[in-house]
């Protein structure tokens, strides 16, 4: 906001002081003009931020140190914690580090909408690992070929093996709380199978 715009917001008595008429000559009050100039200077940094607000709130555009902060806004800061007892640490566990976190924050609204569904879980896994090709099987049969209710088999592509701890954390956080799971990697389904934990979603 420039000094003229600020002046228009002042009470009438101040506006008249800016434009006094003396013998037909307009001589503005220099002290008030200088004060308005200072106010204009003080407003400039805030207005610069407001003009470029997307550069702060858009996870794909904001500076690196703000991305974890935005992740906290959309309840994704748990991805940055190596263990419940440890503070926010690093994005190293994500597929491409900060780039992956940016994409997850950008997709957070849609991920929250589909949380607890196969669609939401698959999209989360694809984005977090940077590896497409995950699949979910429901109504899986156990050792006695009986259907296991509320049990999921998540099949991960072989390329995602390095991200196994991340995959399991995402599954536990995004699957329905009442469901159990097993994680199978496509290379060796029998050897790589693991039965997941029961309990809360985190």
């Amino acid at each position: 906001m420039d000094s003229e715009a600020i002046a228009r917001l002042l009470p009438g008595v101040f506006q008249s002081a800016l434009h006094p008429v003396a013998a037909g000559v307009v001589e503005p009050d220099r002290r008030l003009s200088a004060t308005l100039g200072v106010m204009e200077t003080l407003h400039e940094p805030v207005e610069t931020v407001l003009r470029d607000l997307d550069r702060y709130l858009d996870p794909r555009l904001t500076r690196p140190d703000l991305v974890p902060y935005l992740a906290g806004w959309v309840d994704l800061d748990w991805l940055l914690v190596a263990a419940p007892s440890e503070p926010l640490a690093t994005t190293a566990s994500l597929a491409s580090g900060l780039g992956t976190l940016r994409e997850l924050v950008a997709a957070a609204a849609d991920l929250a909408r589909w949380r607890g569904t196969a669609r939401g879980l698959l999209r989360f896994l694809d984005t977090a690992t940077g590896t497409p090709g995950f699949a979910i099987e429901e109504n899986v049969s156990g050792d006695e070929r009986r259907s296991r209710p509320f049990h999921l088999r998540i099949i991960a592509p072989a390329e995602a093996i390095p991200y196994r701890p991340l995959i399991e954390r995402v599954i536990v956080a995004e699957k329905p709380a009442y469901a159990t799971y097993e994680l199978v990697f496509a290379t060796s389904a029998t050897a790589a199978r693991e039965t997941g934990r029961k309990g809360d979603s985190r």
Side-chain angles (χ1 to χ4, degrees):
M1 182 177 290
D2 58 30
S3 56
E4 291 183 4
I6 298 172
R8 288 194 293 271
L9 300 176
L10 295 176
V13 64
F14 289 99
Q15 294 189 36
S16 63
L18 284 170
H19 305 286
V21 179
V25 179
V26 177
E27 295 180 359
D29 187 315
R30 293 181 180 178
R31 291 167 297 180
L32 188 52
S33 296
T35 303
L36 292 176
V38 171
M39 294 174 69
E40 178 181 338
T41 303
L42 291 174
H43 286 166
E44 186 177 355
V46 176
E47 291 180 344
T48 301
V49 170
L50 292 176
R51 279 195 300 270
D52 298 327
L53 199 56
D54 284 351
R55 298 196 63 181
Y56 295 88
L57 300 181
D58 188 329
R60 294 188 178 105
L61 299 176
T62 194
R63 62 179 195 254
D65 59 314
L66 278 181
V67 181
Y69 181 70
L70 293 179
W73 277 15
V74 293
D75 193 30
L76 290 178
D77 49 352
W78 56 271
L79 284 167
L80 306 179
V81 182
S85 60
E86 297 181 13
L88 291 186
T90 176
T91 56
S93 63
L94 299 174
S96 61
L98 193 62
T100 295
L101 187 60
R102 289 182 189 273
E103 291 304 315
L104 286 170
V105 173
D110 196 51
L111 291 173
R113 177 186 177 192
W114 293 101
R115 188 174 187 183
T117 67
R119 173 177 174 172
L121 178 55
L122 290 175
R123 182 175 180 191
F124 205 124
L125 289 170
D126 285 351
T127 307
T129 63
T131 310
F134 285 86
I136 296 176
E137 293 181 359
E138 301 181 55
N139 301 318
V140 226
S141 298
D143 295 336
E144 299 177 0
R145 295 187 179 180
R146 293 181 182 176
S147 178
R148 301 174 64 183
F150 310 119
H151 184 77
L152 307 173
R153 178 178 295 152
I154 291 92
I155 302 173
E159 296 80 8
I161 289 178
Y163 303 109
R164 182 185 206 122
L166 172 65
I167 293 169
E168 293 192 344
R169 292 189 68 201
V170 170
I171 293 171
V172 171
E174 298 298 313
K175 71 177 179 61
Y178 56 80
T180 58
Y181 77 94
E182 59 185 274
L183 175 60
V184 177
F185 285 95
T187 47
S188 176
T190 304
R193 181 176 302 172
E194 287 191 357
T195 302
R197 300 178 301 275
K198 299 181 180 180
D200 295 337
S201 61
R202 286 196 192 168

